[in-house]
Amino acid sequence: MLTLPPTARLRPAFAAGAAITLAIGLAACSSEPESEPSAAPGEAAPAAEAGGPLDLSDVCPATVVLQQDWQPEAEHGAMYALVGDDYTVDTEMKTVTGTLVAQGVDTGVDVEVRPGGPNVNFQPVPALMYLDTDILLGAVNTDAAIVAAADQPTVAVTSQMTWSPQILMWDPESHDGAETIEEATADGAIVVTSGDVIPALLESQGMIDQSQIDLSYEGTPQRFVSDPSILQQGFATAEPYIYENEISEWGKPVGFQLLSDIGYSIYPEPLAVRADAVEEQADCLAKLVPIMQQSQLDYLNDPAETNDLIIDLVDQYDTGWTYSAEVAEYSVQQQVDLGIVQNDPASGVFGQFDPERMQSILDDFAPFLIASGSLTEADAGAIDAASLYTNEFIDTSISMD
């Protein structure tokens, strides 16, 4: 019997409610003064300069609530990196709360990070944000935002990962050393996914036909290990390491390609607010969004402490989800090495949205969402791509070197 690996439980790769649904030398340019004091290990963080860019006490809620869409993992490092050493864990509600520490200083407010997935009965993040308006920022995939736009509109305020880590993976030995999805599917291989957006994308490009589609993926390794002729969905930040190092029944490299290479262009888990909160929380967002931009880069540059927190939370939540320190380290490396996290190619600014890309996401994915029954043609026609995001609060001085 196969042992269920750390990320084998099925993660929500696509729009909620839709079947289609390390020090690595990073540096960031920031408007922050370099003289800002920081805490020594084990000491409380010093207070931010009153009224300065890191002082949130007069503009943000006393507790800034952040909602993720899945279990604690390194892909969510920017959120967890803000949690101070004084954190407390609610093992019943599955939340972590502590002083919001940014760039080494106490911002004057607390932060609470909530996981998603089974912890919230798999409710989509936009629904959670409208059910509980204490949630200030939620991680909302662009296709999920399109689906929710009619009834639970959200506005993305900064990206964290620039490109999706979603992949298709395959056994190179079974596919003559294939190096791309197109090569691996050329022999008629079955593509196993949990929803039909991946096969719909492949079919639209002539890479597969209907006979190669199998939507039965459940997030476990059994099928892939027992039938290495298939292609299977996964994450570049997890499965390649897990299958080679943590699934003894496999124990060898897999081939894979990022779906973003072939048109899966959504922004993955950008941070969003309810549409009605953009103006209401504008003063807070003006300071918090640059903090989130910088937090992602700081985390990737020095992930060790935050990864320890992520592993601690996984252990304390005790939901059946497991996640090793080695997978967390691998995820950080992959996010950088594969360009999953990078500056916005159009502007050179980290975390900024490209208007042309956002329009193309709407144009390209709305037909898939309509075909799946997740979106009506009327609702799709009413969506303005510009309503799905704003660059209003982005600090354009923040970028990766």
Side-chain angles (χ1 to χ4, degrees), residues 32 48-56 287:
E32 277 311 303
E49 177 186 357
L54 298 180
D55 178 14
L56 303 180
K287 290 187 175 184

Side-chain angles (χ1 to χ4, degrees), residues 26 28 81 102-103 291 293-303:
L26 288 182
Q103 299 164 48
I291 285 173
Q293 290 174 264
Q294 190 67 48
S295 181
Q296 176 71 317
L297 302 186
D298 290 346
Y299 165 68
L300 293 176
N301 188 59
D302 186 10

Side-chain angles (χ1 to χ4, degrees), residues 168-172 174-191 202 207-208 212 228-232 255-257:
L168 281 184
M169 53 184 273
W170 59 87
D171 173 28
S174 299
H175 297 280
D176 297 323
E179 296 183 353
T180 67
I181 293 170
E182 185 170 18
E183 291 174 356
T185 54
D187 59 4
I190 301 298
V191 176
L202 298 176
M207 293 186 186
I208 64 172
Q212 293 173 262
S229 70
I230 68 169
L231 280 75
Q232 177 178 285
F256 69 90
Q257 184 179 9

Side-chain angles (χ1 to χ4, degrees), residues 269-292:
E269 303 171 0
L271 303 183
V273 298
R274 298 185 326 277
D276 60 6
V278 174
E279 182 176 354
E280 175 187 337
Q281 296 290 347
D283 290 342
C284 176
L285 294 171
K287 290 187 175 184
L288 184 59
V289 167
I291 285 173
M292 298 307 304

